[in-house]
Amino acid sequence: MPQQTYLLDTNVLLCALISPERLSLEIQQGLIDSQNVIYFSAASIWEIAIKASLNKANFDFSAADIQHLAIETGFTELAVHASHTLALSTLPWHHRDPFDRLLISQAMALPAYLLTSDVLLGQYSELVKITTIK
């Protein structure tokens, strides 16, 4: 049985895969603990693909490469199911980003702790765990 279940938001996912040393030692250890289940959402891959297609400055990630690297790292891909979206209709509008709102809803549906660096998301649920990215 898993010790903890985590869902990584897009920023934490990218950091965990590209520069894990920017995460706290506690988070790094949690991500490599084989007893924990670490999810990354299809919504994050979707967000990465959109940002890449917009040719945003300082954003040179490939959605396909990130998906492959996440799976290779041992993270579990989480599809977006209709049941994951149901909480969206009742979530307060503390945050307007549709990807973050979907990740909150997915974390609540699983349940899983959502690891994020976005302090605004902490208003939604005790399942949101704020982490600092150096």
Side-chain angles (χ1 to χ4, degrees):
M1 180 174 289
Q3 218 175 17
Q4 297 290 343
T5 302
Y6 296 107
L7 173 59
L8 307 182
D9 86 346
T10 307
N11 288 331
V12 173
L13 172 65
L14 290 171
C15 192
L17 297 174
I18 307 301
S19 52
E21 69 282 356
R22 294 181 59 208
L23 297 170
S24 73
L25 199 51
E26 178 185 359
I27 296 296
Q28 289 179 52
Q29 290 171 340
L31 295 178
I32 62 172
D33 185 333
S34 63
Q35 293 185 42
N36 293 338
V37 175
I38 312 298
Y39 287 110
F40 70 99
S41 176
S44 290
I45 302 304
W46 179 19
E47 180 179 15
I48 292 165
I50 288 172
K51 286 182 177 179
S53 75
L54 294 172
N55 295 316
K56 289 190 160 241
N58 300 323
F59 194 88
D60 59 353
F61 301 103
S62 155
D65 289 347
I66 295 300
Q67 179 203 25
H68 177 76
L69 185 55
I71 291 169
E72 190 176 87
T73 300
F75 298 165
T76 302
E77 186 172 350
L78 179 63
V80 177
H81 298 281
S83 62
H84 295 166
T85 68
L86 300 177
L88 291 170
S89 65
T90 59
L91 280 181
W93 284 93
H94 301 307
H95 203 288
R96 296 255 180 236
D97 184 298
F99 295 104
D100 287 335
R101 290 177 60 80
L102 179 55
L103 292 172
I104 291 285
S105 191
Q106 283 187 297
M108 293 168 70
L110 286 174
Y113 290 108
L114 176 65
L115 295 181
T116 182
S117 60
D118 189 334
V119 295
L120 287 177
L121 298 181
Q123 300 175 71
Y124 284 105
S125 170
E126 67 281 349
L127 291 172
V128 176
K129 300 297 178 195
I130 308 297
T131 184
T132 303
I133 297 178
K134 301 177 222 166

